[in-house]
Amino acid sequence: MDVSHILDHLNDQQREAVTSEKKHLMVLAGAGSGKTRVLVHKIAWEVEALNRNPGSIMAVTFTNKAALEMRSRIEELLQAPMLDGWVGTFHGLAHKMLKRFHKEAGLSSGFTILDSDDQLRIIKRISKELDLDEATWPSRQSQWQINSWKDEGFRNDLVDDKGDFARETIKKIYKEYEATCLRDNLVDFGELLLRSYEIVRDNASVKSFFHSRFRSILVDEFQDTNTIQYNWLLEIASSEASITAVGDDDQSIYGWRGAKVENVDSFTKTFDDTEIIRLEQNYRSTNIILGAANALIENNTDRLGKNLWTEKLEGEQIVLYQAYNEQDEARFVADVLKDWMNKGEMYEDAAVLYRSNAQSRALEEALLRSSIPYRIYGGQRFYERLEIKNAIAYLKVIFNHSDNPACERSISNPTRGVGEKTLAKIRGAAKQHNISYIKASAKLVDEGSISGRGGAGLSSYLQFILRCKEFIEENPLSDLMEEIIKTSGLVAYHAKEPGEKGKTRVENLEELVSATANFEQSIKEDKPNKEIAEQYLDMISLDSGDRQASEHDDAAQLMTLHSAKGLEFKLVLMTGLEESLFPHGRSMENPSQLQEERRLCYVGITRAMEKLYITHAESRRLHGSDTFNPPSRFLREIPKGLINEIRPRAQTNIPYNRKDFKETKFEFEDEIGISLGQRVLHKTFGEGVVLNYEGSGDAARVQINFNKAGTKWLVMAYAKLEKL
């Protein structure tokens, strides 16, 4: 049989991976190196060249889209359907297993799969039955913890509560939740994998079925596997089966949701005869972009290692723009995109990347002002986000008591004992007396018609709205917004959401304070605080809704760095490369998290095909206050020869602390021998981190944040700092 069509158009490394006769194979597929092509062609090779039955092959990936694409490309290459092939996601294949072996799994054939909302409702009901207060024991937190335990392979009886009261309580919820699911024939997503793993592990006949069936197992995005997925694969694979793992340890960026980059190294140790093949030829980016990516990622330890290269042209230098503040940064981004369009390019071929969702606010405002169409990829515009809508609802009702939708939203968020029954009474009274919800609420409270927790919560809410109305008379809008999000309980309410979601929502609320402060500064006339607040609400209303580009419009893409994985663009702008922002402050003291932040930066760089711009700001209003963070350490890890550093325009306002500066910060660092972000030791003040600088020569000063003594400016000539 002629199989040349399978090997045609493959490079040497790809061909080696496709035709390898090694039982176990680890394909380290660098960004843009054609890993999907290798997977598809390897399956086709096994079917046509090795005469392997398609039904004896299992191919596993992470998304339904990727699974469908893989199956389609295999069938196109084979010119035949994969009728009995097991090609799908981890959860999809686990579901297929449980359908086939439902009796062995202790399920009926018609078991129901719970989505996240259904799971949450059950956990809420169980918490209520256990007499657990929702405010103290948020059901979303319990849900997250239960799912995390399942991802680690822990049933309730295997969970070690470590004598911790909180873990002990959630363990009780987990026990009741398991009992409910078993009784009602329910399976959540975590359960699909856990239970299918258990039936293979514990049932000899089921294990025999899979061991005799699958001769070849191929796994895509192996660096993103978690504990249960890895163990699931090991149970399904017989000692005779070959396993091909395709992934990139340099692109492992989902540790926060359970992915274990360690699984890549574990695989090569579990199967000590594993052949490692590196796909290093990149078909996406220029040599300069790849040079930056390679140099950056070399600073990570414990990697299997590879070095990307391309036959493409050298390409243009990476442009590094040092902005004065986030507004200047956003203006620069808008100018670059305008210039890109004026040169005949498409907006859709450009992407603006950021570490934190909250950063999109300033960028969105600049693009709107410049009439540049944009789309938030995989997310919502700033003012459309749930937590922002909740906060703005308070602002609306403070200035307009007749805004009933805002009143209902603000009463209910956060929960304060005002449930649906109380809301129904408010609606009824408002309709009966033809008055607003605010007035109806006050009437019901005065009459004593609502008692208990609901009455107390409603009374507290009305008092808060009244205080805020008085507060704005003497205080600026930004102070009012800070008062709203903190005193209303919104920060505490959203912080209870598990994992990154809760942290992101809090960051967005803090960014809202910055947004109001920036709006105040943009008002040229001396106006009353109340009028400024009303203007702000008008601005939000005018900028909302239809200003974001529709699905089929030509529009620039705005997205977080995490959302960008797997995508590519001719033009990429990476924004906010400052210490504590990127790398994120939460990673600074944790070496493994810091390495994941560097991998995230690597992913961002390798999204760029032709042009890459990187920006950072000297000052940034972050979390409601001005910060002066040094440039990201990741910038210093990129060779200077690959970077063209440009300065802001002369007309841009310089921040008040910017006094005397070198041509670049890198030049200053060369002069004093200490880099920004460097940990240092002072004889009197102890350990600290270098934050900023000013001056030159004998007058050079550095700003250091000491662990115990706080932030201080020291003259370099006398400081006698020791690098750590």
Side-chain angles (χ1 to χ4, degrees), residues 230-261:
Y230 184 75
N231 291 336
W232 183 87
L233 288 165
L234 295 184
E235 283 295 335
I236 290 173
S238 71
S239 58
E240 302 302 316
S242 63
I243 305 175
T244 298
V246 181
D248 184 2
D249 54 341
D250 291 333
Q251 294 189 77
S252 180
I253 59 173
Y254 298 120
W256 50 275
R257 67 185 190 196
K260 305 281 189 183
V261 66

Coordinates of all heavy atoms in Angstrom, one line a residue, residues 230-261:
Y230 N -4.4 11.7 34.3 CA -3.2 10.9 34.1 C -3.3 9.5 34.6 O -3.0 8.6 33.9 CB -2.1 11.7 34.9 CG -0.7 11.0 34.7 CD1 0.0 11.2 33.6 CD2 -0.1 10.3 35.8 CE1 1.3 10.6 33.4 CE2 1.1 9.7 35.6 CZ 1.8 9.9 34.5 OH 3.1 9.3 34.3
N231 N -3.9 9.4 35.8 CA -4.1 8.0 36.4 C -5.1 7.2 35.5 O -5.0 6.0 35.4 CB -4.6 8.1 37.8 CG -3.5 8.6 38.7 OD1 -2.3 8.5 38.5 ND2 -3.9 9.2 39.9
W232 N -6.1 7.9 35.0 CA -7.1 7.2 34.1 C -6.4 6.6 32.9 O -6.7 5.5 32.5 CB -8.1 8.3 33.7 CG -9.3 8.0 32.9 CD1 -10.5 7.5 33.3 CD2 -9.4 8.1 31.4 NE1 -11.4 7.3 32.2 CE2 -10.7 7.7 31.1 CE3 -8.6 8.5 30.4 CZ2 -11.2 7.7 29.7 CZ3 -9.0 8.5 29.1 CH2 -10.3 8.1 28.8
L233 N -5.5 7.4 32.3 CA -4.8 6.9 31.1 C -3.9 5.7 31.5 O -3.9 4.7 30.7 CB -3.9 8.0 30.6 CG -4.6 9.1 29.8 CD1 -3.6 10.3 29.7 CD2 -5.1 8.7 28.5
L234 N -3.3 5.7 32.6 CA -2.4 4.6 33.0 C -3.2 3.4 33.3 O -2.7 2.2 33.0 CB -1.6 5.0 34.3 CG -0.6 6.2 34.2 CD1 0.2 6.4 35.5 CD2 0.4 5.9 33.0
E235 N -4.4 3.5 33.8 CA -5.3 2.3 34.0 C -5.8 1.7 32.8 O -5.8 0.5 32.6 CB -6.5 2.7 34.9 CG -6.1 2.8 36.4 CD -5.7 1.5 37.1 OE1 -6.0 0.4 36.6 OE2 -4.9 1.6 38.0
I236 N -6.1 2.5 31.8 CA -6.7 2.0 30.5 C -5.6 1.3 29.7 O -5.9 0.4 29.0 CB -7.4 3.2 29.8 CG1 -8.7 3.6 30.5 CG2 -7.7 2.8 28.3 CD1 -9.4 4.8 29.9
A237 N -4.4 1.9 29.7 CA -3.3 1.3 28.9 C -2.8 0.0 29.5 O -2.4 -0.1 30.6 CB -2.2 2.3 28.8
S238 N -2.8 -1.0 28.6 CA -2.2 -2.3 29.0 C -0.7 -2.2 28.9 O -0.1 -1.3 28.3 CB -2.7 -3.4 28.1 OG -2.2 -3.3 26.8
S239 N 0.0 -3.2 29.4 CA 1.5 -3.3 29.2 C 1.9 -3.4 27.8 O 3.0 -3.2 27.4 CB 2.0 -4.4 30.1 OG 1.5 -5.7 29.7
E240 N 0.9 -3.9 26.9 CA 1.3 -4.1 25.5 C 0.9 -2.8 24.7 O 1.4 -2.7 23.5 CB 0.5 -5.3 25.0 CG 0.7 -6.6 25.7 CD 2.2 -7.0 25.7 OE1 2.8 -6.8 24.6 OE2 2.7 -7.3 26.7
A241 N 0.2 -1.9 25.2 CA -0.3 -0.8 24.4 C 0.8 0.3 24.3 O 1.6 0.4 25.2 CB -1.5 -0.1 25.1
S242 N 0.8 0.9 23.2 CA 1.8 2.0 23.0 C 1.0 3.3 23.3 O -0.1 3.5 23.0 CB 2.3 2.1 21.5 OG 1.2 2.3 20.6
I243 N 1.8 4.3 23.9 CA 1.2 5.5 24.3 C 2.0 6.7 23.7 O 3.3 6.7 23.8 CB 1.2 5.7 25.8 CG1 0.4 4.6 26.5 CG2 0.5 7.1 26.2 CD1 0.5 4.7 28.0
T244 N 1.4 7.5 23.0 CA 2.0 8.7 22.4 C 1.4 10.0 23.1 O 0.2 10.2 23.0 CB 1.8 8.8 20.9 OG1 2.3 7.7 20.2 CG2 2.4 10.1 20.3
A245 N 2.3 10.7 23.8 CA 1.9 11.9 24.5 C 2.4 13.1 23.7 O 3.6 13.2 23.5 CB 2.4 11.9 26.0
V246 N 1.6 14.0 23.3 CA 2.0 15.2 22.6 C 1.6 16.4 23.4 O 0.5 16.6 23.9 CB 1.2 15.3 21.2 CG1 1.7 16.5 20.5 CG2 1.4 14.0 20.4
G247 N 2.6 17.2 23.7 CA 2.4 18.4 24.5 C 3.6 19.3 24.5 O 4.6 19.1 23.8
D248 N 3.6 20.3 25.3 CA 4.7 21.3 25.5 C 4.7 21.7 26.9 O 3.9 22.5 27.4 CB 4.4 22.4 24.5 CG 5.6 23.4 24.5 OD1 6.6 23.2 25.2 OD2 5.5 24.5 23.8
D249 N 5.7 21.3 27.6 CA 5.8 21.7 29.0 C 6.1 23.2 29.2 O 5.8 23.8 30.2 CB 7.0 20.9 29.7 CG 8.3 21.0 29.1 OD1 8.4 21.3 27.8 OD2 9.3 20.7 29.7
D250 N 6.5 23.8 28.1 CA 6.7 25.3 28.1 C 5.4 26.1 28.0 O 5.4 27.3 28.1 CB 7.7 25.8 27.0 CG 9.1 25.3 27.3 OD1 9.4 25.1 28.5 OD2 9.9 25.1 26.4
Q251 N 4.3 25.4 27.6 CA 3.0 26.0 27.5 C 2.0 25.5 28.5 O 0.8 25.6 28.3 CB 2.5 25.8 26.1 CG 3.3 26.5 25.0 CD 2.6 26.5 23.6 OE1 1.7 27.2 23.4 NE2 3.1 25.6 22.8
S252 N 2.5 25.0 29.6 CA 1.6 24.6 30.7 C 1.2 25.9 31.6 O 2.0 26.3 32.4 CB 2.3 23.6 31.6 OG 1.4 23.2 32.6
I253 N 0.0 26.4 31.4 CA -0.4 27.6 32.0 C -1.7 27.5 32.8 O -2.3 28.5 33.2 CB -0.6 28.7 31.0 CG1 -1.6 28.4 29.9 CG2 0.8 29.0 30.3 CD1 -2.0 29.5 29.0
Y254 N -2.1 26.3 33.1 CA -3.4 26.1 33.8 C -3.2 25.4 35.1 O -4.1 24.7 35.6 CB -4.4 25.3 32.9 CG -4.7 25.9 31.6 CD1 -4.4 25.4 30.4 CD2 -5.3 27.2 31.6 CE1 -4.7 26.0 29.2 CE2 -5.6 27.8 30.4 CZ -5.3 27.2 29.2 OH -5.7 27.9 28.0
G255 N -2.1 25.6 35.8 CA -1.9 25.0 37.1 C -3.0 25.4 38.1 O -3.4 24.7 39.0
W256 N -3.5 26.6 37.9 CA -4.6 27.2 38.9 C -5.9 26.4 38.8 O -6.7 26.5 39.6 CB -4.8 28.7 38.6 CG -5.0 29.0 37.1 CD1 -4.1 29.2 36.2 CD2 -6.3 29.1 36.5 NE1 -4.6 29.5 35.0 CE2 -6.0 29.4 35.1 CE3 -7.6 29.0 36.9 CZ2 -7.0 29.6 34.2 CZ3 -8.6 29.2 35.9 CH2 -8.3 29.5 34.6
R257 N -6.1 25.6 37.7 CA -7.3 24.8 37.6 C -6.9 23.3 37.6 O -7.8 22.5 37.2 CB -8.1 25.2 36.4 CG -7.6 24.9 35.1 CD -8.5 25.4 34.0 NE -8.1 25.0 32.7 CZ -8.5 25.5 31.5 NH1 -9.3 26.6 31.6 NH2 -8.2 25.0 30.3
G258 N -5.8 23.0 38.2 CA -5.5 21.6 38.5 C -4.5 20.9 37.5 O -4.1 19.7 37.8
A259 N -4.1 21.5 36.4 CA -3.2 20.9 35.5 C -1.8 20.7 36.1 O -1.4 21.5 36.9 CB -3.0 21.7 34.2
K260 N -1.2 19.6 35.8 CA 0.1 19.2 36.4 C 1.1 19.1 35.4 O 1.2 18.1 34.6 CB 0.0 17.9 37.2 CG -1.1 17.8 38.2 CD -0.7 18.4 39.5 CE -1.8 18.1 40.6 NZ -1.5 18.8 41.9
V261 N 2.0 20.1 35.3 CA 3.0 20.1 34.3 C 4.0 19.0 34.6 O 4.7 18.4 33.7 CB 3.8 21.5 34.2 CG1 4.5 21.7 35.5 CG2 4.7 21.5 33.0

